[in-house]
Amino acid sequence: MKQFWHRLYEYSEQYPVRFWLATAALLELAIETMSRHSLPKALGYMVTAWPAFLFNVCIIGWTFLLLYLVRRKLFLGILISVIWCILGAVNGVLLSCRVTPFNWSDLRLSKDAMAIMGKYIAPWQVMLGAAVLIMLCIGLAFLFRRLPRSGRKALYIRSLAMMVTLFFGLIGLASMGERIGIFPEKFDNLADAYQSYGFVFCFSNSMLNIGISKPEDYSTQVVQEIQEEEIMEDSHVTAPLITEELTEVVDSRGVAVTRKTPNIIFVQLESFSDPLQYTHMKCSKDPIPNFRSLMENYTSGWLDVPAVGAGTANTEFEVITGMNLDFFGPGEYPYKTVLRTEVCESLCFDLKDIGYHAQAIHNNMGTFYDRHTIFSQLGFDTFTSIEYMSNYDTTPTGWPKDGMLADQILKVLNSTTGADMIYTISVQGHGAYPEEKLIESPAVTVSGLETEGETNAMEYYIQQIHEMDSFVLDLVQRLETRGEPAILVLYGDHLPSLNLTEDRLKNGNVLQTQYVIWDNLGLQKQDRELEAYQLAAYALDQVGIHRGTMFGFHQTYLAQKDHRPEEQEKYLGDMEILEYDMLYGEQDIFGGENPYEATKLHMGVQPIRISGVMRQDGGTYVTGWNFTEHSHVYLNGKEMETTFVSRNMLYVPDMELEEGENSVTVAQVSDDNIVLSESETYLLR
């Protein structure tokens, strides 16, 4: 072995360019083999898409230029090779449980990924991965000590100049590749892009290409022209069958407006789709009869979404803001980038201008996708996450079921006296879908799949959406019984990760789900295929609400009967200009200054309060209201071991009071140990 490393060192020193380019080529082949789960497929890619393959080799080769900055050249080269292999392996693992490949945004989501990793990866797999990483670290430490240093001096200035020059050279080659059609200008489908252009190129692109690039024709004059010609003027007519007395409010621009508005409820159904659209299998009965009945009787249609198999937050972003994610970086999550610092005009801000309360509900962790902070940037007033819910059922894989959401929506409606816009995000249909049989007697069975594992996974998924379909019926019935005017927008955020390809779908599109707009207003059924960023605009138009920049822009376009290619091209170009101006540009659409401010987001709609603290049988009972399993008692700022007894009682087995005055609070704490809110302090002596 010692002789092997010595010969390897000598060859790398004698023929460095040849050696490391060959290494880069082998690494590219290995990475594509892991990504495609097949060596023959990787070889096929290398032959049929050889320009992309070679460009990926050049990118890897560029990283080896770092070797010229150090004396331990062989060791650093091995370290860089290991890092590339780890990235390729991570991509291969992720593609075994979801459709979206590994990209730079996933590193921003690492905290969220760790929180749900146990639902996708078995404990033994986690332990195996940890063992491999430990062995790699030990091996690298051994090589660091044993491998010789290069006899050549490190040439810092020359090497850095060469790295910078070749970096811009690669960018120039990529731009040339775009012009001649080797590479795309935009990734319409991230999964397809990785297959066509390789992991290395696409991952690097996702790292460097973030946000919206400045459009060539962006200017104050162009923005003003779009505003005058393409954005429907703010207006609101009374919705049909609403005869109650109108109320007057003052909008954010200081204009008095008279409105009577229905409650507007969005329910984003996790991974919800229609299995009767799958061509490679058959169901024993209709899995979603209630949703189908709604589609037959109310406005409905196909919904083009920005993700498949994952990416809930991006569909959510498009619906809430009316913005098209195609203009952002490949695989980017605006929740993790621009919205961390920028306040964005949204459905919330626009409807609050006419007297609405903006409320969010999600039966999952409030910290997932950083919603507990991002929702204030989008204008929500309250956010009820799983930490504020109790006594709920879970799926066999541990996701909270959606049946609880009907209660939560009614609770939010009852918490205000005015009209509400409620954005609800469900979670029951979330993957992974286990191939072992966890449900002995599923409500719907399937046939036609090749393996028992596929059948079990599909039946598990269908069982979840069948129960979600029952929740839909329950919610509609309760809204009807409640009697207040309302529209309810239901839609799937993306297809599930169940190896669904275009040839396995009747509509032939993996980026489509379905939506329905139920109402108790007597609205006319107006079916239409929509983009996710058009959905809210179309729903608001049904009740005569024309408000907001992006929503007014979409309503103007949707009002046109025929869309010629040149009109659609102008529509998309102007949309990109608006999005850039609002988030990255001069904000000319607002007169040069964003009028919206982040809200002080209130977690939950029912206050958590302490009514008393009493010691009994060696322990301490804290009594009050609206406690949940996520309630933790704090004594003088220190967290106590807490047991949930009921919504009105918590138990602390060991709480030693200090002399004098003591402060007791109850905090709602997420599973990743982030305090979401605290009760008022209860003073105890």
Side-chain angles (χ1 to χ4, degrees):
M1 181 62 71
K2 184 177 181 180
Q3 191 175 20
F4 167 78
W5 289 114
H6 182 71
R7 288 182 178 178
L8 194 68
Y9 165 75
E10 286 185 341
Y11 195 85
S12 67
E13 284 287 290
Q14 190 172 1
Y15 307 104
V17 176
R18 186 188 308 174
F19 178 82
W20 292 113
L21 276 179
T23 302
L26 290 173
L27 283 171
E28 165 64 2
L29 183 60
I31 289 169
E32 292 305 321
T33 299
M34 290 185 281
S35 297
R36 298 162 198 271
H37 303 148
S38 168
L39 177 58
K41 289 182 179 179
L43 291 170
Y45 156 77
M46 182 179 69
V47 173
T48 59
W50 61 267
F53 181 89
L54 290 178
F55 190 76
N56 280 269
V57 171
C58 289
I59 294 175
I60 297 174
W62 178 84
T63 62
F64 286 130
L65 292 176
L66 291 170
L67 273 58
Y68 289 97
L69 299 175
V70 299
R71 296 286 297 274
R72 295 183 181 272
K73 290 181 171 54
L74 183 57
F75 172 77
L76 181 57
I78 292 172
L79 178 61
I80 291 172
S81 301
V82 168
I83 292 172
W84 278 117
C85 286
I86 289 174
L87 292 175
V90 170
N91 185 50
V93 170
L94 285 180
L95 287 176
S96 67
C97 59
R98 76 180 198 188
V99 178
T100 307
F102 182 46
N103 60 83
W104 183 252
S105 292
D106 285 312
L107 297 178
R108 296 174 179 269
L109 296 171
S110 57
K111 175 178 69 70
D112 300 320
M114 293 295 292
I116 65 172
M117 184 171 60
K119 293 181 171 65
Y120 286 89
I121 302 176
W124 69 267
Q125 292 173 312
V126 176
M127 294 177 64
L128 178 62
V132 169
L133 286 176
I134 291 172
M135 291 175 63
L136 274 175
C137 291
I138 294 173
L140 288 170
F142 174 80
L143 291 176
F144 182 81
R145 292 173 60 90
R146 293 301 181 92
L147 291 179
R149 297 187 181 192
S150 172
R152 300 176 182 178
K153 293 182 179 180
L155 304 174
Y156 298 109
I157 297 177
R158 184 185 302 176
S159 299
L160 287 172
M162 183 169 57
M163 289 184 70
V164 172
T165 301
L166 291 178
F167 176 78
F168 285 106
L170 287 173
I171 293 178
L173 282 175
S175 299
M176 184 184 299
E178 290 179 5
R179 288 195 296 272
I180 63 178
I182 295 177
F183 298 119
E185 292 185 10
K186 294 178 180 177
F187 294 164
D188 295 328
N189 184 312
L190 201 60
D192 289 346
Y194 272 66
Q195 291 294 307
S196 300
Y197 312 111
F199 169 82
V200 174
F201 170 73
C202 294
F203 183 86
S204 302
N205 198 307
S206 72
M207 179 170 58
L208 299 174
N209 186 3
I210 297 175
I212 303 175
S213 300
K214 184 178 180 180
E216 291 183 2
D217 50 350
Y218 171 69
S219 69
T220 300
Q221 181 180 351
V222 170
V223 173
Q224 290 174 347
E225 289 174 356
I226 295 172
Q227 186 173 33
E228 293 171 2
E229 300 172 9
E230 299 179 57
I231 297 179
M232 192 170 289
E233 292 185 7
D234 290 349
S235 65
H236 177 215
V237 297
T238 305
L241 302 186
I242 301 179
T243 57
E244 297 179 33
E245 184 178 351
L246 305 185
T247 58
E248 185 177 276
V249 297
V250 177
D251 69 12
S252 63
R253 303 167 200 179
V255 179
V257 288
T258 303
R259 310 281 190 248
K260 175 57 190 176
T261 49
N263 293 316
I264 301 174
I265 303 163
F266 287 81
V267 179
Q268 181 169 282
L269 298 165
E270 172 64 45
S271 300
F272 191 84
S273 66
D274 181 5
L276 297 189
Q277 293 289 329
Y278 304 170
T279 61
H280 63 301
M281 48 157 275
K282 291 184 178 180
C283 298
S284 60
K285 65 178 183 179
D286 188 351
I288 55 169
N290 302 312
F291 193 88
R292 194 176 315 283
S293 176
L294 292 176
M295 288 194 295
E296 291 171 354
N297 293 285
Y298 297 90
T299 295
S300 62
W302 291 106
L303 185 68
D304 296 326
V305 295
V308 55
T312 294
N314 278 350
T315 302
E316 185 179 313
F317 171 80
E318 286 202 346
V319 175
I320 293 174
T321 65
M323 291 190 176
N324 184 350
L325 269 165
D326 286 349
F327 306 128
F328 289 80
E332 181 177 353
Y333 287 85
Y335 279 18
K336 291 290 185 176
T337 54
V338 63
L339 290 188
R340 298 177 73 88
T341 56
E342 296 296 323
V343 177
C344 181
E345 182 183 358
S346 68
L347 190 64
C348 304
F349 286 119
D350 293 335
L351 289 178
K352 284 162 68 173
D353 268 355
I354 54 175
Y356 275 89
H357 303 276
Q359 326 229 37
I361 301 172
H362 183 31
N363 54 337
N364 194 19
M365 289 194 309
T367 57
F368 204 59
Y369 287 117
D370 290 337
R371 289 185 178 99
H372 68 301
T373 58
I374 297 303
F375 275 177
S376 65
Q377 304 288 81
L378 291 171
F380 283 100
D381 297 314
T382 71
F383 177 28
T384 303
S385 57
I386 195 67
E387 290 83 2
Y388 298 84
M389 306 176 191
S390 60
N391 300 321
Y392 50 83
D393 296 325
T394 60
T395 68
T397 57
W399 295 109
K401 291 190 174 183
D402 290 344
M404 73 169 87
L405 291 174
D407 283 339
Q408 297 299 326
I409 291 171
L410 269 292
K411 188 182 296 183
V412 169
L413 288 173
N414 293 332
S415 70
T416 66
T417 56
D420 291 289
M421 190 288 291
I422 302 176
Y423 197 91
T424 308
I425 308 147
S426 95
V427 78
Q428 181 171 352
H430 209 296
Y433 311 109
E435 294 192 353
E436 62 269 24
K437 195 171 185 62
L438 297 185
I439 302 174
E440 290 300 324
S441 301
V444 181
T445 57
V446 301
S447 59
L449 297 177
E450 294 182 359
T451 67
E452 183 180 354
E454 284 184 282
T455 301
N456 290 337
M458 184 63 73
E459 287 184 346
Y460 177 91
Y461 165 71
I462 289 178
Q463 178 69 27
Q464 305 316 314
I465 64 168
H466 183 66
E467 293 179 13
M468 294 164 69
D469 184 68
S470 298
F471 149 67
V472 167
L473 176 62
D474 179 41
L475 177 59
V476 168
Q477 289 176 339
R478 294 175 73 170
L479 290 175
E480 284 180 330
T481 301
R482 197 167 190 274
E484 285 189 357
I487 63 170
L488 171 65
V489 185
L490 302 151
Y491 64 95
D493 59 348
H494 54 69
L495 294 183
S497 296
L498 285 168
N499 298 316
L500 297 175
T501 52
E502 292 180 353
D503 60 309
R504 290 184 167 187
L505 297 168
K506 290 181 180 179
N507 62 320
N509 191 339
V510 296
L511 290 172
Q512 278 189 334
T513 61
Q514 289 165 299
Y515 76 91
V516 62
I517 303 175
W518 171 88
D519 70 272
N520 59 2
L521 310 173
L523 300 178
Q524 181 181 357
K525 179 176 171 63
Q526 301 181 64
D527 293 352
R528 183 166 189 167
E529 180 178 332
L530 296 171
E531 299 281 351
Y533 54 78
Q534 297 171 331
L535 180 60
Y538 195 62
L540 295 182
D541 188 58
Q542 305 298 300
V543 289
I545 298 177
H546 305 133
R547 195 145 193 99
T549 303
M550 297 308 303
F551 303 115
F553 176 76
H554 296 314
Q555 286 171 341
T556 298
Y557 179 75
L558 293 171
Q560 302 170 10
K561 293 183 179 180
D562 298 317
H563 294 129
R564 296 188 299 274
E566 58 270 22
E567 291 175 337
Q568 185 176 20
E569 184 177 351
K570 178 173 171 41
Y571 170 64
L572 291 172
D574 290 347
M575 191 190 313
E576 184 175 15
I577 289 172
L578 285 177
E579 292 185 25
Y580 176 82
D581 180 65
M582 294 168 70
L583 291 177
Y584 301 94
E586 301 300 320
Q587 299 184 325
D588 293 317
I589 195 69
F590 303 129
E593 183 178 354
N594 190 342
Y596 303 104
E597 295 182 358
T599 56
K600 188 176 181 180
L601 186 67
H602 189 278
M603 297 298 296
V605 294
Q606 294 182 322
I608 296 170
R609 294 174 179 166
I610 301 174
S611 61
V613 178
M614 56 184 181
R615 301 180 65 84
Q616 184 176 337
D617 300 330
T620 303
Y621 291 90
V622 177
T623 58
W625 297 274
N626 304 315
F627 300 149
T628 74
E629 289 85 346
H630 287 85
S631 298
H632 291 225
V633 174
Y634 282 72
L635 174 65
N636 299 321
K638 181 181 179 181
E639 184 178 1
M640 299 285 102
E641 179 185 347
T642 306
T643 301
F644 173 76
V645 179
S646 71
R647 286 184 60 81
N648 302 107
M649 184 175 291
L650 302 171
Y651 175 70
V652 180
D654 184 20
M655 191 164 84
E656 296 184 4
L657 301 180
E658 299 177 1
E659 291 186 8
E661 197 169 65
N662 294 267
S663 64
V664 179
T665 57
V666 172
Q668 299 305 107
V669 183
S670 65
D671 287 342
D672 49 359
N673 293 318
I674 292 178
V675 175
L676 299 175
S677 67
E678 285 186 298
S679 69
E680 293 183 355
T681 300
Y682 184 90
L683 297 178
L684 184 67
R685 289 182 173 82

